Amino acid sequence: MISDLAARIARRIRREGPLSIAAFMAIALHDREAGYYARHDPLGSAGDFITAPEISQIFGELIGLWCADSWRHLGRPDPVILAELGPGSGALLEDFLRAAATLPEFRRALDLHLVEASPVLRARQQRRLGGAGARFVSGIGELPQGPLLLVANEFLDALPIRQLVRGRGEWAERLVALDAGDRLVFVEGPESPALSLLVSPALRAQPPGTVVEICPAAAALGAALGERLATEPGAALIIDYGYCPSAPGATLGALRRHAAVGVLDDPGSADLSAHVDFASFAAAAHGAGASVHGPVTQGRFLAALGAEARLAALTAQAGPAQRGALESGLARLIDPAQMGNLFKVLALTSPGLPAPAGFDRRANDDHAERPR
């Protein structure tokens, strides 16, 4: 039986023509009545996926200490805005604040803001963090002015993407249309020189049939953060699965109950995401004025911040079962065969600040594409 949301998408296609994948994703994820994030709590074993903060408390604790170190480089401003984009279950910020409590001056300076659009997740975050004094906003444009520390873990991957396909002469766009049986299907639109210009120059000469994904929303966020950090002191930490440099390939996928399902199957019932093009995001931020550091792999970043030492401290007084859980959790985050290499970490800072913890000079602007 076709869902109400699928029926509404079909009616729109009949009325307006095929949709871009970005438009389809926006509806499927964020429709106010039937979108995935309007109705689902996606996190945890009972949900559709699990993120690093639910795997190991060490993740959020180290990010808290990273932000404390960045705050020191900013001159210890009081107050300092701490913003998390897409806080999920609230686990990251809960662990962050536990680590921050060991530095009372830093903890007192924090003015907490959670950027969350999902009413379901807002309720979960409020239950978990209700005593922390955090305020909810819908986007970074609603953050107050002043020194800023920003964290985004697995946020960019859920932003709507477009898929461009190399044709015989130019590039075309992959769209969502209806087949003869009124089922949602992918089709290719007409080739266009204008679409070709959206592809990175380094990728335009790919053979016919090659797919390139672009994310206008990520580029816009990168530019907004770059402009903010160029005019206000601050630092941002971006953690996600993805690649650098820019590369061809279709990565868009859907998850339901921790298993892959069809992207167009029952819209609104599954999480949709795509791998992050860190080079394009970094180029947008750099072009707007921010200094770019990385990306580095998540495994390298967490190791540089002292993940193993923190594990040793936690397991020293732990029983066998707890010790095993702590060890396996951290291994999952840093093991190159698990999340250690696929996940990348990128930092943005105001110009003139030193390289933040976890990044050296080789991990700075050298990896960022310059603005096109």
Side-chain angles (χ1 to χ4, degrees):
M1 179 178 178
I2 188 169
S3 69
D4 174 67
L5 185 58
R8 285 195 279 128
I9 292 172
R11 287 196 295 270
R12 177 171 169 178
I13 291 173
R14 292 190 201 99
R15 184 174 64 249
E16 302 176 10
L19 299 175
S20 69
I21 290 176
F24 171 80
M25 289 181 69
I27 298 168
L29 293 176
H30 299 294
D31 180 85
R32 291 184 178 181
E33 296 177 1
Y36 179 75
Y37 283 108
R39 300 186 303 158
H40 291 81
D41 184 342
L43 292 156
S45 58
D48 297 317
F49 57 88
I50 190 168
T51 63
E54 286 83 37
I55 295 171
S56 174
Q57 71 181 72
I58 295 173
F59 185 81
E61 291 172 348
L62 293 182
I63 290 176
L65 296 178
W66 185 92
C67 283
D69 188 61
S70 297
W71 172 73
R72 180 175 60 84
H73 288 304
L74 293 175
R76 304 174 185 266
D78 185 359
V80 61
I81 300 149
L82 173 66
E84 184 180 358
L85 307 187
S89 68
L92 189 156
L93 189 55
E94 183 178 56
D95 295 334
F96 179 117
L97 294 175
R98 183 171 56 253
T102 65
L103 304 164
E105 185 184 2
F106 173 59
R107 177 63 184 92
R108 285 193 300 269
L110 295 175
D111 182 11
L112 305 178
H113 288 72
L114 305 182
V115 181
E116 180 59 71
S118 166
V120 175
L121 289 176
R122 279 195 180 196
R124 183 172 181 179
Q125 293 153 16
Q126 183 63 41
R127 289 193 298 270
R128 190 165 199 164
L129 303 167
R135 285 176 278 181
F136 287 100
V137 296
S138 298
I140 65 167
E142 297 180 23
L143 295 175
Q145 297 301 303
L148 173 69
L149 296 169
L150 182 141
V151 176
N153 178 59
E154 291 200 50
F155 180 81
L156 295 185
D157 63 85
L159 296 179
I161 59 113
R162 297 170 67 180
Q163 287 186 341
L164 304 177
V165 184
R166 181 71 161 93
R168 292 186 177 182
E170 301 288 350
W171 289 74
E173 183 160 12
R174 181 169 288 168
L175 305 170
V176 178
L178 296 172
D179 67 8
D182 274 351
R183 292 180 293 266
L184 295 171
V185 293
F186 290 119
V187 299
E188 290 181 17
E191 296 179 25
S192 164
L195 291 172
S196 299
L197 293 175
L198 298 178
V199 179
S200 169
L203 301 178
R204 284 182 198 159
Q206 296 290 321
T210 300
V211 176
V212 167
E213 293 175 338
I214 62 173
C215 187
L221 176 62
L225 286 175
E227 183 176 358
R228 168 76 183 241
L229 295 175
T231 56
E232 298 266 8
L237 192 66
I238 313 296
I239 307 164
D240 224 312
Y241 51 90
Y243 49 89
C244 187
S246 297
T251 69
L252 176 64
L255 274 180
R256 186 186 303 129
R257 298 191 180 278
H258 302 269
V261 295
V263 170
L264 301 181
D265 296 346
D266 194 10
S269 70
D271 179 55
L272 303 177
S273 64
H275 289 210
V276 174
D277 181 349
F278 277 94
S280 291
F281 179 82
H286 184 272
S291 293
V292 175
H293 309 268
V296 299
T297 64
Q298 178 174 280
R300 172 181 164 184
F301 176 75
L302 295 177
L305 265 58
E308 294 289 353
R310 179 56 179 153
L311 175 65
L314 288 171
T315 57
Q317 303 299 324
Q322 186 182 17
R323 183 182 304 113
L326 287 165
E327 291 172 346
S328 64
L330 182 60
R332 184 172 175 183
L333 297 187
I334 66 176
D335 186 341
Q338 299 191 63
M339 297 171 69
N341 280 357
L342 175 60
F343 280 72
K344 310 292 190 300
V345 185
L346 180 81
L348 308 175
T349 63
S350 297
L353 293 175
F359 301 87
D360 55 32
R361 290 182 180 179
R362 292 173 298 173
N364 291 349
D365 299 87
D366 298 341
H367 290 119
E369 283 187 358
R370 294 302 179 253
R372 300 167 190 165

